mmCIF file with all atom_site columns, all heavy atoms in Angstrom:
data_model
loop_
_atom_site.group_PDB
_atom_site.id
_atom_site.type_symbol
_atom_site.label_atom_id
_atom_site.label_alt_id
_atom_site.label_comp_id
_atom_site.label_asym_id
_atom_site.label_entity_id
_atom_site.label_seq_id
_atom_site.pdbx_PDB_ins_code
_atom_site.Cartn_x
_atom_site.Cartn_y
_atom_site.Cartn_z
_atom_site.occupancy
_atom_site.B_iso_or_equiv
_atom_site.pdbx_formal_charge
_atom_site.auth_seq_id
_atom_site.auth_comp_id
_atom_site.auth_asym_id
_atom_site.auth_atom_id
_atom_site.pdbx_PDB_model_num
ATOM   1  N  N   . CYS A 1 445 ? -21.002 -7.247  -35.782 1.00 0.00 ? 625 CYS A N   1
ATOM   2  C  CA  . CYS A 1 445 ? -20.907 -7.440  -34.326 1.00 0.00 ? 625 CYS A CA  1
ATOM   3  C  C   . CYS A 1 445 ? -21.298 -6.145  -33.612 1.00 0.00 ? 625 CYS A C   1
ATOM   4  O  O   . CYS A 1 445 ? -20.791 -5.069  -33.929 1.00 0.00 ? 625 CYS A O   1
ATOM   5  C  CB  . CYS A 1 445 ? -19.477 -7.836  -33.951 1.00 0.00 ? 625 CYS A CB  1
ATOM   6  S  SG  . CYS A 1 445 ? -19.124 -7.668  -32.199 1.00 0.00 ? 625 CYS A SG  1
ATOM   7  N  N   . ILE A 1 446 ? -22.203 -6.266  -32.652 1.00 0.00 ? 626 ILE A N   1
ATOM   8  C  CA  . ILE A 1 446 ? -22.725 -5.068  -32.000 1.00 0.00 ? 626 ILE A CA  1
ATOM   9  C  C   . ILE A 1 446 ? -21.647 -4.359  -31.190 1.00 0.00 ? 626 ILE A C   1
ATOM   10 O  O   . ILE A 1 446 ? -21.529 -3.138  -31.185 1.00 0.00 ? 626 ILE A O   1
ATOM   11 C  CB  . ILE A 1 446 ? -23.910 -5.435  -31.091 1.00 0.00 ? 626 ILE A CB  1
ATOM   12 C  CG1 . ILE A 1 446 ? -25.021 -6.040  -31.940 1.00 0.00 ? 626 ILE A CG1 1
ATOM   13 C  CG2 . ILE A 1 446 ? -24.445 -4.222  -30.368 1.00 0.00 ? 626 ILE A CG2 1
ATOM   14 C  CD1 . ILE A 1 446 ? -25.949 -6.923  -31.167 1.00 0.00 ? 626 ILE A CD1 1
ATOM   15 N  N   . ARG A 1 447 ? -20.850 -5.158  -30.532 1.00 0.00 ? 627 ARG A N   1
ATOM   16 C  CA  . ARG A 1 447 ? -19.781 -4.574  -29.725 1.00 0.00 ? 627 ARG A CA  1
ATOM   17 C  C   . ARG A 1 447 ? -18.808 -3.814  -30.619 1.00 0.00 ? 627 ARG A C   1
ATOM   18 O  O   . ARG A 1 447 ? -18.415 -2.687  -30.313 1.00 0.00 ? 627 ARG A O   1
ATOM   19 C  CB  . ARG A 1 447 ? -19.050 -5.687  -28.952 1.00 0.00 ? 627 ARG A CB  1
ATOM   20 C  CG  . ARG A 1 447 ? -18.214 -5.187  -27.783 1.00 0.00 ? 627 ARG A CG  1
ATOM   21 C  CD  . ARG A 1 447 ? -17.647 -6.356  -26.977 1.00 0.00 ? 627 ARG A CD  1
ATOM   22 N  NE  . ARG A 1 447 ? -18.689 -7.249  -26.501 1.00 0.00 ? 627 ARG A NE  1
ATOM   23 C  CZ  . ARG A 1 447 ? -19.306 -7.120  -25.333 1.00 0.00 ? 627 ARG A CZ  1
ATOM   24 N  NH1 . ARG A 1 447 ? -18.991 -6.127  -24.528 1.00 0.00 ? 627 ARG A NH1 1
ATOM   25 N  NH2 . ARG A 1 447 ? -20.244 -7.972  -24.987 1.00 0.00 ? 627 ARG A NH2 1
ATOM   26 N  N   . TYR A 1 458 ? -11.811 -3.239  -32.241 1.00 0.00 ? 638 TYR A N   1
ATOM   27 C  CA  . TYR A 1 458 ? -12.187 -4.395  -31.429 1.00 0.00 ? 638 TYR A CA  1
ATOM   28 C  C   . TYR A 1 458 ? -11.573 -5.632  -32.045 1.00 0.00 ? 638 TYR A C   1
ATOM   29 O  O   . TYR A 1 458 ? -11.583 -5.814  -33.264 1.00 0.00 ? 638 TYR A O   1
ATOM   30 C  CB  . TYR A 1 458 ? -13.715 -4.507  -31.399 1.00 0.00 ? 638 TYR A CB  1
ATOM   31 C  CG  . TYR A 1 458 ? -14.248 -5.709  -30.653 1.00 0.00 ? 638 TYR A CG  1
ATOM   32 C  CD1 . TYR A 1 458 ? -13.834 -5.972  -29.352 1.00 0.00 ? 638 TYR A CD1 1
ATOM   33 C  CD2 . TYR A 1 458 ? -15.175 -6.563  -31.244 1.00 0.00 ? 638 TYR A CD2 1
ATOM   34 C  CE1 . TYR A 1 458 ? -14.331 -7.062  -28.659 1.00 0.00 ? 638 TYR A CE1 1
ATOM   35 C  CE2 . TYR A 1 458 ? -15.686 -7.654  -30.565 1.00 0.00 ? 638 TYR A CE2 1
ATOM   36 C  CZ  . TYR A 1 458 ? -15.258 -7.900  -29.268 1.00 0.00 ? 638 TYR A CZ  1
ATOM   37 O  OH  . TYR A 1 458 ? -15.752 -8.969  -28.586 1.00 0.00 ? 638 TYR A OH  1
ATOM   38 N  N   . PHE A 1 460 ? -12.231 -8.892  -31.219 1.00 0.00 ? 640 PHE A N   1
ATOM   39 C  CA  . PHE A 1 460 ? -13.041 -10.112 -31.095 1.00 0.00 ? 640 PHE A CA  1
ATOM   40 C  C   . PHE A 1 460 ? -12.434 -11.126 -30.140 1.00 0.00 ? 640 PHE A C   1
ATOM   41 O  O   . PHE A 1 460 ? -12.465 -12.311 -30.383 1.00 0.00 ? 640 PHE A O   1
ATOM   42 C  CB  . PHE A 1 460 ? -13.232 -10.765 -32.477 1.00 0.00 ? 640 PHE A CB  1
ATOM   43 C  CG  . PHE A 1 460 ? -14.014 -9.910  -33.403 1.00 0.00 ? 640 PHE A CG  1
ATOM   44 C  CD1 . PHE A 1 460 ? -13.374 -9.055  -34.283 1.00 0.00 ? 640 PHE A CD1 1
ATOM   45 C  CD2 . PHE A 1 460 ? -15.407 -9.923  -33.372 1.00 0.00 ? 640 PHE A CD2 1
ATOM   46 C  CE1 . PHE A 1 460 ? -14.103 -8.236  -35.121 1.00 0.00 ? 640 PHE A CE1 1
ATOM   47 C  CE2 . PHE A 1 460 ? -16.124 -9.101  -34.218 1.00 0.00 ? 640 PHE A CE2 1
ATOM   48 C  CZ  . PHE A 1 460 ? -15.482 -8.248  -35.096 1.00 0.00 ? 640 PHE A CZ  1
ATOM   49 N  N   . CYS A 1 465 ? -19.967 -12.544 -26.622 1.00 0.00 ? 645 CYS A N   1
ATOM   50 C  CA  . CYS A 1 465 ? -19.963 -11.160 -27.091 1.00 0.00 ? 645 CYS A CA  1
ATOM   51 C  C   . CYS A 1 465 ? -21.373 -10.642 -27.341 1.00 0.00 ? 645 CYS A C   1
ATOM   52 O  O   . CYS A 1 465 ? -21.924 -9.903  -26.550 1.00 0.00 ? 645 CYS A O   1
ATOM   53 C  CB  . CYS A 1 465 ? -19.119 -11.066 -28.344 1.00 0.00 ? 645 CYS A CB  1
ATOM   54 S  SG  . CYS A 1 465 ? -19.111 -9.437  -29.103 1.00 0.00 ? 645 CYS A SG  1
ATOM   55 N  N   . CYS A 1 466 ? -21.958 -11.088 -28.439 1.00 0.00 ? 646 CYS A N   1
ATOM   56 C  CA  . CYS A 1 466 ? -23.263 -10.537 -28.783 1.00 0.00 ? 646 CYS A CA  1
ATOM   57 C  C   . CYS A 1 466 ? -24.025 -11.523 -29.648 1.00 0.00 ? 646 CYS A C   1
ATOM   58 O  O   . CYS A 1 466 ? -23.484 -12.542 -30.073 1.00 0.00 ? 646 CYS A O   1
ATOM   59 C  CB  . CYS A 1 466 ? -23.108 -9.211  -29.511 1.00 0.00 ? 646 CYS A CB  1
ATOM   60 S  SG  . CYS A 1 466 ? -22.441 -9.382  -31.164 1.00 0.00 ? 646 CYS A SG  1
ATOM   61 N  N   . CYS A 1 469 ? -22.349 -12.324 -33.071 1.00 0.00 ? 649 CYS A N   1
ATOM   62 C  CA  . CYS A 1 469 ? -21.206 -13.229 -32.993 1.00 0.00 ? 649 CYS A CA  1
ATOM   63 C  C   . CYS A 1 469 ? -21.632 -14.639 -32.575 1.00 0.00 ? 649 CYS A C   1
ATOM   64 O  O   . CYS A 1 469 ? -20.816 -15.550 -32.552 1.00 0.00 ? 649 CYS A O   1
ATOM   65 C  CB  . CYS A 1 469 ? -20.194 -12.726 -31.975 1.00 0.00 ? 649 CYS A CB  1
ATOM   66 S  SG  . CYS A 1 469 ? -19.471 -11.176 -32.441 1.00 0.00 ? 649 CYS A SG  1
HETATM 67 ZN ZN1 . ZN  C 2 .   ? -20.072 -9.495  -31.098 1.00 0.00 ? 273 ZN  C ZN1 1
#
Side-chain angles (χ1 to χ4, degrees):
Chain A
C625 164
I626 299 156
R627 197 174 304 270
Y638 177 52
F640 295 94
C645 176
C646 70
C649 296

